[in-house]
Amino acid sequence: MNTYTIALAGNPNTGKSTLFNTLTGLRQHTGNWAGKTVVKAEGEFVHNSSSFRIIDLPGTYSLYSNSADEETARDYIIFEQPDVTIVVLDATSLERNLNLALQVLEMTHRVVVCINLMDEAEKLGIDIDLAAISRKLGVPVAAISARSRQGIPPLLDLVEKVAAGILVPQPLMVRYSDETERQLAELEPQVRCILGTRFPSRWVALRLLDGDENLLSSIKARMNEEGIRPEQEVVSYGRTACH
Amino acid sequence: MVFRMVSYGIALSDAKMGSRIRLNRIDIQGVMRRRLLDLGFVPGNVVEVIQKSPLGDPTAYRISGTTIALRKEESSLIYGELEGEDAE
């Protein structure tokens, strides 16, 4: 039986933990993330012929603002690289929720978007065009009501397909201003040269342009841990480290 | 057509209760800027002034379907144009 690791990401109050509980039932344990006062919930479940280990990431609006919660969620997606990341969105406020979805899509292509609280949206008269969202984002989209356990099997079918590589999402690539794109074109090959293909180079380059010191120290710490050599040069002298 | 000087409209902190403002500039840098962007304070988005606290600060704003309270420190650096009947 195949075992896959999946991560649940989403804004606070999107029913992420309700989905987590629905999926895992009592087969879950909670603790803290190493070195952080952030709760970590982990569980297991089986669907079709696969078993899944699922991690409930902290609920965040973003992965950039450098709170402990956001850092935890970001580091998990970047460094642990789950087989699938499910981004849970609140059907009643998609506009705000899609911010996080786009951020995750820049980090990994193995994403399934899960629109929760469909029952609430229906009550408010909100009609959601799932096919259009899926087409625009370039990843599979499932609609559920975690509270009433509706739509769970189709969601898990999609998750399993993406995990097994049967379904390969082609996520939307956000294009930035010409100026930014020009800098990215210059920076990205160098990032790839230093970090290889283990991290999404476009995303790392974007963070560098953003002056994200916090991510740099995370990558540095990570590379030290793994005993990967030129970690000093990586940050200060990227160019020379390449040649 | 009325000629207008290039302006950034009014600061969110100067908007009256109940008015709606279409944002056009956020004059804040760093982590706080990122946070505000994440919460929906993005140029082009419309903010409604919901309620001032008894002492006038902070003030509650409605944005992207959520209520967010900001202090003058931040709201005085967020600019936009009045929308609807308040606009001249």
Side-chain angles (χ1 to χ4, degrees), chain B residues 42-55:
Chain B
V42 179
N45 217 350
V46 175
V47 181
E48 191 183 340
V49 187
I50 299 287
Q51 196 177 15
K52 295 212 190 284
S53 56
L55 295 175

Side-chain angles (χ1 to χ4, degrees), chain A residues 70-86:
Chain A
E70 297 184 7
E71 201 183 303
T72 306
R74 177 200 70 193
D75 285 0
Y76 191 83
I77 296 172
I78 285 296
F79 297 130
E80 304 306 324
Q81 308 193 336
D83 293 306
V84 182
T85 301
I86 303 179

Side-chain angles (χ1 to χ4, degrees), chain A residues 18-87:
Chain A
T18 309
L19 175 62
F20 178 78
N21 291 333
T22 304
L23 292 175
T24 59
L26 289 174
R27 300 178 65 189
Q28 56 169 271
H29 32 275
T30 52
N32 271 17
W33 292 86
K36 294 193 180 99
T37 322
V38 176
V39 175
K40 178 182 191 180
E42 223 183 297
E44 288 107 42
F45 66 92
V46 173
H47 177 72
N48 294 342
S49 53
S50 308
S51 86
F52 294 90
R53 191 168 78 91
I54 182 166
I55 286 88
D56 192 12
L57 298 176
T60 58
Y61 290 110
S62 166
L63 298 171
Y64 297 153
S65 297
N66 299 332
S67 70
D69 282 2
E70 297 184 7
E71 201 183 303
T72 306
R74 177 200 70 193
D75 285 0
Y76 191 83
I77 296 172
I78 285 296
F79 297 130
E80 304 306 324
Q81 308 193 336
D83 293 306
V84 182
T85 301
I86 303 179
V87 183

Side-chain angles (χ1 to χ4, degrees), chain A residues 129-139 141 170 172:
Chain A
D129 188 342
L130 296 173
I133 294 178
S134 177
R135 202 166 52 236
K136 285 207 165 172
L137 294 181
V139 298
V141 175
Q170 306 273 321
L172 164 82

Side-chain angles (χ1 to χ4, degrees), chain A residues 62 64-65 70 96 99 103, chain B residues 31 34-35 38-39 64 66:
Chain A
S62 166
Y64 297 153
S65 297
E70 297 184 7
R96 181 160 41 84
N99 178 43
Q103 290 183 11
Chain B
V31 174
R34 186 73 240 177
R35 188 99 200 135
D38 290 332
L39 292 171
S64 303
T66 313

